[in-house]
Amino acid sequence: MSKRTVIVSGGMLEEAFVCSILRRPDTGYIIGVDRGLQFLYEHQIMPDVIVGDFDSIPAATLKYYRTAGIPIRAFDPVKDASDTEIALRLAIENQKDNVVILGATGSRVDHIWANVQILKIALDAGITAEILDGHNRIRLLNRKICLKRSEAYGDYFSVFPLDGAVEDFNISGAKYPLVHHRLVPYDSLCVSNQIQGDEAVIHFLQGSLVVLMETKD
């Protein structure tokens, strides 16, 4: 897989966790997003590009990166997309196909849900994208996936339909299996499942869309 593109957004940024990802050798491109840019500045990390309306960072921070010659895409605060969505679209525009979004979770549940939904933009573009924090990995699926215990992000996984009922939904190799189930919104049936053996398989009708969350306790 190609080197990852990391979007550093303005939500919860756990210092040790975020720095460990940004400084990994397989991180090849960093997009600083508005308040996330302040985190980069405080940890002396240079992004490859900066986007946002910059209504929540000191002017000196932006000036520092402008002086350093980092490309900046500034937007009016009154706009039709969130800063994180703009950053994701920029990654797609630049043909980045392995995107990790940091700072996409936190105390603002509305922002979290907006960030989960924009993963659909990457999915439609054929781009691998996920939201990460120290306890959660969030992805969108439209096809079968195998969750290997050796690669699991946490002890639990949950699935939710995003755009309506999912027909013929199946989970095997898990503590709570399902066979030919109709997965519907507005219930909590598929919360906190666990891989039972070496792997669990999630399979459903092609074209349906589910949110997969892997979670550490």
Side-chain angles (χ1 to χ4, degrees):
M1 184 174 284
S2 61
K3 286 197 171 185
R4 75 174 83 196
T5 292
V6 179
I7 296 172
V8 184
S9 195
M12 178 181 67
L13 293 166
E14 303 146 291
E15 183 174 18
F17 174 77
V18 172
C19 287
S20 70
I21 290 178
L22 293 175
R23 291 175 173 148
R24 282 177 52 162
D26 59 350
T27 293
Y29 195 83
I30 299 173
I31 303 177
V33 183
D34 206 59
R35 189 164 45 183
L37 184 63
Q38 188 63 26
F39 180 94
L40 298 178
Y41 176 77
E42 292 170 358
H43 292 84
Q44 300 182 339
I45 296 171
M46 281 291 183
D48 293 278
V49 65
I50 295 165
V51 302
D53 54 35
F54 311 118
D55 60 352
S56 56
I57 62 170
T61 300
L62 194 59
K63 180 179 179 181
Y64 170 81
Y65 285 112
R66 181 176 285 114
T67 301
I70 304 300
I72 298 173
R73 293 197 180 187
F75 295 84
D76 192 298
V78 181
K79 56 189 185 300
D80 295 330
S82 68
D83 291 330
T84 307
E85 179 181 335
I86 290 169
L88 180 58
R89 290 187 182 278
L90 177 63
I92 295 169
E93 177 186 317
N94 285 287
Q95 300 181 324
K96 305 300 180 182
D97 60 1
N98 183 13
V99 179
V100 171
I101 307 176
L102 307 177
T105 59
S107 59
R108 286 289 301 270
V109 177
D110 54 341
H111 286 182
I112 296 170
W113 187 238
N115 291 332
V116 169
Q117 291 188 111
I118 67 170
L119 292 175
K120 178 68 161 52
I121 299 168
L123 191 70
D124 288 345
I127 300 298
T128 299
E130 60 187 14
I131 292 170
L132 284 184
D133 65 27
H135 294 271
N136 304 280
R137 174 165 64 178
I138 305 172
R139 295 177 279 174
L140 294 189
L141 307 177
N142 61 1
R143 58 178 57 85
K144 176 181 177 179
I145 189 172
C146 177
L147 299 177
K148 298 182 182 295
R149 179 183 291 276
S150 60
E151 300 172 358
Y153 198 74
D155 294 331
Y156 304 96
F157 70 90
S158 302
V159 290
F160 308 93
L162 186 63
D163 59 352
V166 178
E167 306 294 341
D168 196 15
F169 183 82
N170 304 272
I171 301 176
S172 60
K175 184 176 181 179
Y176 305 111
L178 285 173
V179 179
H180 303 309
H181 180 73
R182 187 172 190 265
L183 183 66
V184 298
Y186 323 123
D187 71 35
S188 55
L189 175 68
C190 289
V191 172
S192 297
N193 210 334
Q194 294 178 276
I195 301 172
Q196 192 80 327
D198 292 332
E199 63 182 34
V201 176
I202 300 172
H203 182 257
F204 49 95
L205 284 178
Q206 190 81 9
S208 299
L209 190 63
V210 301
V211 183
L212 171 63
M213 298 186 182
E214 296 171 77
T215 306
K216 302 175 184 178
D217 207 352

